[in-house]
Amino acid sequence: FALFFVCICFLFIINGSNLIDGFNGLLSIHSLIILVILFLINLIYGNNELAQVLFYTILIITIFVKFNFPKAKMFLGDGGAYFIGTLISVSAIITNNLTPEISSFFFCILLFYIFFEVFFSFFRKIFLVGQNPLLPDNKHLHMLLYKFLLAKNKKKLESNYKVSIYINLAYLIMIIPGVL
């Protein structure tokens, strides 16, 4: 059961990373938040090899954000989103295994937003709408927020990057108590 559960979690995080990649800065800034927290945990607990990998990944994503936010001149694409999702999943599992002093529940909270986008969509389609859960739709949190912002100010680019700001700010506020 544990192997099946971990595989499902991997699938949800990787797919969720690709799902939220469509808005300027949403995945890159969100992954920065997660990776910085994982980096600090590994640095504090002396897991220097993983901390070093996370540091260089943070550096690369920070440079990418310069070209992706607020006006996108560069995109991650499917390969980049899948890579970041895989890196986040593997790093969270390794960090969890290397730091038994930290509750596994903390890592669930850390990955909640990416997981939630896929999990909620999957079950909403099956139980509430009766749709095929594998087909795309536009009822995800970030898309609904974009539609709301667009209806409010009619500026596509501004609405696009504001989605990233609002979601990541809300996520950061909710994750801070867990980090402390």
Side-chain angles (χ1 to χ4, degrees), residues 74-98:
M74 183 185 289
F75 302 95
L76 285 170
D78 289 345
Y82 291 143
F83 177 73
I84 287 176
T86 303
L87 183 70
I88 287 172
S89 299
V90 170
S91 299
I93 288 172
I94 292 172
T95 303
N96 182 44
N97 290 340
L98 292 175

Side-chain angles (χ1 to χ4, degrees), residues 1-178:
F1 176 75
L3 180 61
F4 175 74
F5 182 75
V6 168
C7 289
I8 291 295
C9 289
F10 259 98
L11 177 69
F12 275 54
I13 298 302
I14 293 168
N15 192 33
S17 296
N18 190 42
L19 183 75
I20 68 170
D21 181 41
F23 287 84
N24 298 354
L26 185 55
L27 175 61
S28 53
I29 294 170
H30 192 74
S31 64
L32 275 177
I33 294 168
I34 293 170
L35 293 171
V36 165
I37 292 168
L38 291 174
F39 166 74
L40 292 173
I41 290 170
N42 283 288
L43 189 65
I44 290 167
Y45 283 88
N47 306 322
N48 296 328
E49 294 84 15
L50 183 55
Q52 188 175 14
V53 169
L54 292 170
F55 174 78
Y56 289 118
T57 304
I58 291 165
L59 188 62
I60 291 167
I61 294 174
T62 302
I63 293 167
F64 171 79
V65 168
K66 181 181 178 342
F67 297 102
N68 182 255
F69 185 82
K71 295 180 180 180
K73 298 175 188 126
M74 183 185 289
F75 302 95
L76 285 170
D78 289 345
Y82 291 143
F83 177 73
I84 287 176
T86 303
L87 183 70
I88 287 172
S89 299
V90 170
S91 299
I93 288 172
I94 292 172
T95 303
N96 182 44
N97 290 340
L98 292 175
T99 55
E101 303 87 359
I102 298 175
S103 170
S104 297
F105 188 66
F106 170 76
F107 297 100
C108 294
I109 293 170
L110 188 63
L111 303 175
F112 176 76
Y113 172 63
I114 297 175
F115 184 87
F116 170 80
E117 281 282 15
V118 177
F119 181 80
F120 181 74
S121 176
F122 189 82
F123 287 98
R124 175 183 47 80
K125 289 176 188 175
I126 290 175
F127 297 113
L128 297 178
V129 201
Q131 284 182 321
N132 181 346
L134 303 177
L135 295 176
D137 69 1
N138 58 358
K139 303 280 191 243
H140 304 285
L141 177 62
H142 59 283
M143 293 177 172
L144 295 173
L145 180 57
Y146 174 73
K147 288 178 189 176
F148 173 78
L149 293 172
L150 189 59
K152 190 174 173 182
N153 70 9
K154 307 286 188 222
K155 297 177 183 174
K156 285 185 177 185
L157 176 63
E158 186 176 314
S159 298
N160 185 306
Y161 71 79
K162 279 188 176 181
V163 166
S164 177
I165 293 170
Y166 292 149
I167 287 178
N168 285 313
L169 185 61
Y171 169 76
L172 192 58
I173 290 168
M174 287 188 274
I175 196 71
I176 286 175

